[in-house]
Amino acid sequence: MLNDRSSLLSLLESRRSGKPRELVGPGPTAEEMERILAIGARTPDHGKLSPWRFVTIANDQRDAFEVVLQNALSEENPDATAAHHEKEHEFAHYAGQLVVLISAPVQDHKIPVWEQELSCGAAGMNLLLAAHASGYVAGWVTGWRAYSARVRTAFCETGERIAGFIFIGHAARELEDRERPPLATVCRAWRPPDL
Ligand SMILES: Cc1cc2nc3c(=O)[nH]c(=O)nc-3n(C[C@H](O)[C@H](O)[C@H](O)COP(=O)(O)O)c2cc1C
């Protein structure tokens, strides 16, 4: 049991993202994806509102996804060059599995939207952890596509928004870790204010 716990902690300590454009396939199998998504949905959520959803884009739907991106780009940036359009082709076809994380807060509810959005972020984090624990590398990106009204309508109902595109595949080479904030800069013991 202790060994299990220590390997679980090592797993948490070793998670890092990969850049989606650098991932290689294959991504998780259908069974692995179901498990990753189920873990993603096992997320704290004040009020049991499930204020998030996952939309998977199958590999044979990548061309259709590209059409959405290309149309959005043309509409929102009439000056877009061939190089910009090529980038959308590449993005739509990055290797691995693709999950679109949707924030779906319930409006006018006693649970503040802020808390519902926090839950969405936690669901995204859980997906990253589950992907890592399954032996994959994941990368969460937003960029203009997540904020585009045209892209949003392809995935979201009214009041929802895209929280990110999460690609899950393998790293082509060993990932370098990024600098982490020294704990002392992000954590301190509370001192009661002088009254
Ligand atoms: C909500 C959200 C949106 C992000 N969007 C982008 C993005 O558009 N482009 C990018 O290069 N990184 C983006 N990132 C950061 C990457 O996921 C980055 O690789 C990650 O923070 C690395 O940290 P990690 O190794 O601890 O996962 C985003 C992260 C979050 C949480």
Side-chain angles (χ1 to χ4, degrees):
M1 184 65 196
L2 186 61
N3 235 351
D4 278 2
R5 197 177 306 137
S6 138
S7 27
L8 183 55
L9 287 169
S10 301
L11 200 75
L12 295 173
E13 284 164 345
S14 61
R15 188 210 57 81
R16 63 194 66 164
S17 294
K19 289 189 172 59
R21 68 171 177 276
E22 293 177 2
L23 294 181
V24 294
T29 62
E31 292 73 33
E32 288 171 325
M33 272 312 288
E34 191 158 329
R35 202 166 179 192
I36 289 168
L37 292 165
I39 292 169
R42 194 178 175 87
T43 285
D45 155 18
H46 190 182
K48 298 193 208 105
L49 298 172
S50 307
W52 28 258
R53 303 189 289 113
F54 311 130
V55 178
T56 57
I57 301 185
N59 286 341
D60 64 2
Q61 295 177 315
R62 295 299 191 95
D63 288 345
F65 178 44
E66 179 183 347
V67 171
V68 170
L69 297 180
Q70 299 291 10
N71 288 344
L73 178 63
S74 300
E75 194 174 289
E76 293 174 24
N77 180 5
D79 297 329
T81 62
H84 289 122
H85 284 284
E86 176 57 23
K87 244 179 141 176
E88 298 320 302
H89 169 72
E90 287 168 10
F91 186 92
H93 293 88
Y94 285 161
Q97 295 290 347
L98 171 54
V99 180
V100 186
L101 175 62
I102 310 291
S103 167
V106 179
Q107 304 291 339
D108 302 320
H109 193 278
K110 67 176 180 185
I111 308 298
V113 166
W114 160 239
E115 293 189 21
Q116 300 184 49
E117 290 172 341
L118 288 173
S119 179
C120 179
M125 186 67 222
N126 258 350
L127 286 179
L128 299 186
L129 286 169
H132 177 59
S134 307
Y136 293 92
V137 169
W140 176 346
V141 288
T142 47
W144 74 270
R145 304 164 190 95
Y147 300 99
S148 151
R150 173 66 92 102
V151 178
R152 184 162 56 241
T153 56
F155 292 96
C156 298
E157 308 291 335
T158 306
E160 297 182 346
R161 54 203 291 204
I162 295 173
F165 300 92
I166 298 179
F167 291 86
I168 308 173
H170 291 286
R173 55 185 164 77
E174 197 173 335
L175 294 174
E176 278 169 31
D177 202 5
R178 69 182 172 95
E179 208 177 313
R180 305 288 166 177
L183 195 54
T185 65
V186 292
C187 176
R188 67 184 165 103
W190 184 63
R191 277 212 308 262
D194 297 330
L195 294 177

